[in-house]
Amino acid sequence: MSVAARQGQLTPTNAAFRAKRVAVVPCPALGDVTLYLHLAWIFHRSGAQVSFHSGLLVSAQAYFPWIELKDDAGLSLAQLAATHDLVVSYVNWLHRTGEAIDDVLQAPNVAYVTAKKLPRSLALDGRAVTVAGMTFAGACRPLCLQSRTGWSMVQWVDHYAREVFGLSCDEPVQVHLPTAGQATRPCVSIFPTTPEPSKNYSLHGFIRLARRLERLGWRVEFVCMPVEQAQIEAAARPFPVRSFDSIKHLMDHLAGCEVVISNDSGGGHLGSLMGLRTFTITRKRPDFVWRPGFNPHNQVIAPLLTFKVRGRHVWRPFVPLWRIPSALASRASR
């Protein structure tokens, strides 16, 4: 399968970044990486030369030829500020590079961002940045200003680029993937875990879902971290359980899939970025801000009812899981 953005005209509303050097330094988590990549794409389409500093993504350079991917090992914000016109950095890198924070904060061309809240102690919220003599007010701020608007984080990244830098781009992020072999059956990848157990739907529930999808004609595989593979294999037999040592290899796998089913996790965001149909199971609202939002074929499966017992949320029994096989029945039967 080859997934690539449609090529169109350059669509920035501000030409100030043409030929400027822009460095983007994301939060290391996979979901965040995809969102910062969306921001990098907007700068690229404005004519900027963009470097993206992510040890997680660097193995996938061939799939993002429009950007320079660099490892974040040994990252220096001060050095990036000295060699680039603009740096957009996840704020917590200030505490991770080993540099003197007060010295780094002297650089006027570094925009510090985060998902929802900047640390008050740094007094950064609303600070402007200066890029080649131009001032951009409010460049240091949370990307999401109000999580109850119904917007996705992708939309909030669009808002940040537009409101702060005057940039907009309607084209999806360009992803170059190899053409996968023709599969005998369409494939679904299920990501059953996250680093946060309270976000995880029941593994046995995912296995029941896999059996229903298999009966509909889908080929179903589970995807997990290498340390989880043996445990999930034991529970999910006979379904294949995959784990990958790099994002490149994970993307190679997903290139042969049509659907990603996951908890609220990075797997859903990556699948969405690659143009796949996604189903995200969460105890949150259907329009929660961190849902995958890179294409129109992303659906949230939220519980019909939740309540608390002794401070713990009870939600898993009330997830309308049947909506997934119902939505996929027609495709599998073709």
Side-chain angles (χ1 to χ4, degrees):
M1 177 179 65
S2 177
V3 180
R6 59 186 180 275
Q7 294 299 298
Q9 297 298 312
L10 200 65
T11 57
T13 58
N14 186 334
F17 289 92
R18 195 180 302 274
K20 297 294 187 297
R21 288 180 53 81
V22 175
V24 178
V25 189
C27 173
L30 177 56
D32 296 84
V33 165
T34 63
L35 292 165
Y36 283 78
L37 190 65
H38 180 58
L39 179 63
W41 170 251
I42 295 172
F43 278 112
H44 165 74
R45 293 301 291 153
S46 76
Q49 302 172 27
V50 186
S51 61
F52 193 84
H53 300 257
S54 167
L56 185 66
L57 198 65
V58 71
S59 65
Q61 175 67 80
Y63 300 152
F64 302 99
W66 49 271
I67 198 172
E68 183 181 13
L69 294 177
K70 294 189 174 184
D71 203 336
D72 53 32
L75 183 77
S76 167
L77 290 174
Q79 184 176 11
L80 288 179
T83 55
H84 291 75
D85 297 291
L86 172 67
V87 180
V88 181
S89 175
Y90 172 53
V91 68
N92 283 5
W93 278 106
L94 279 169
H95 301 285
R96 298 180 180 183
T97 64
E99 300 166 278
I101 292 177
D102 289 343
D103 292 342
V104 176
L105 291 177
Q106 297 303 310
N109 61 331
V110 183
Y112 296 99
V113 296
T114 188
K116 293 185 179 180
K117 185 180 294 186
L118 290 172
R120 287 187 179 182
S121 60
L122 295 175
L124 288 171
D125 207 347
R127 192 170 93 159
V129 295
T130 302
V131 180
M134 298 171 290
T135 299
F136 296 92
C140 297
R141 52 161 262 199
L143 295 173
C144 174
L145 300 179
Q146 175 52 259
S147 61
R148 292 284 184 164
T149 62
W151 285 6
S152 70
M153 283 299 297
V154 172
Q155 291 171 301
W156 277 113
V157 169
D158 288 334
H159 179 271
Y160 175 76
R162 181 175 61 253
E163 294 300 308
V164 173
F165 298 109
L167 303 177
S168 64
C169 179
D170 294 331
E171 301 170 50
V173 176
Q174 186 181 81
V175 185
H176 287 269
L177 292 175
T179 301
Q182 185 67 37
T184 56
R185 291 186 295 166
C187 182
V188 174
S189 279
I190 296 178
F191 291 71
T193 62
T194 73
E196 177 50 61
S198 66
K199 293 166 56 174
N200 294 347
Y201 184 64
S202 159
L203 176 57
H204 293 296
F206 277 124
I207 294 168
R208 289 193 298 271
L209 172 63
R211 290 173 182 149
R212 291 187 63 179
L213 292 175
E214 186 177 52
R215 288 195 295 269
L216 289 173
W218 289 90
R219 178 167 56 93
V220 183
E221 300 184 350
F222 285 78
V223 178
C224 65
M225 300 293 292
V227 296
E228 303 169 323
Q229 187 168 5
Q231 177 187 359
I232 295 177
E233 278 180 338
R237 289 191 182 101
F239 294 103
V241 179
R242 316 287 189 194
S243 64
F244 303 96
D245 58 5
S246 72
I247 290 299
K248 177 188 181 300
H249 292 149
L250 174 57
M251 292 179 70
D252 290 343
H253 169 75
L254 291 180
C257 297
E258 293 190 21
V259 179
V260 167
I261 300 171
S262 68
N263 300 287
D264 172 17
S265 68
H269 291 279
L270 181 62
S272 177
L273 179 74
M274 292 172 62
L276 306 182
R277 187 171 186 175
T278 70
F279 294 90
T280 301
I281 299 174
T282 179
R283 70 171 176 83
K284 300 176 184 177
R285 296 154 47 106
D287 64 349
F288 79 108
V289 68
W290 269 102
R291 67 192 185 274
F294 290 102
N295 71 65
H297 309 296
N298 308 136
Q299 184 175 345
V300 175
I301 308 297
L304 303 175
L305 173 69
T306 63
F307 58 87
K308 279 188 176 183
V309 175
R310 297 176 183 175
R312 298 183 64 181
H313 290 275
V314 178
W315 59 279
R316 294 172 183 85
F318 309 111
V319 172
L321 208 64
W322 56 266
R323 290 180 178 172
I324 299 177
S326 177
L328 296 179
S330 61
R331 172 64 184 89
S333 62
R334 291 178 188 173

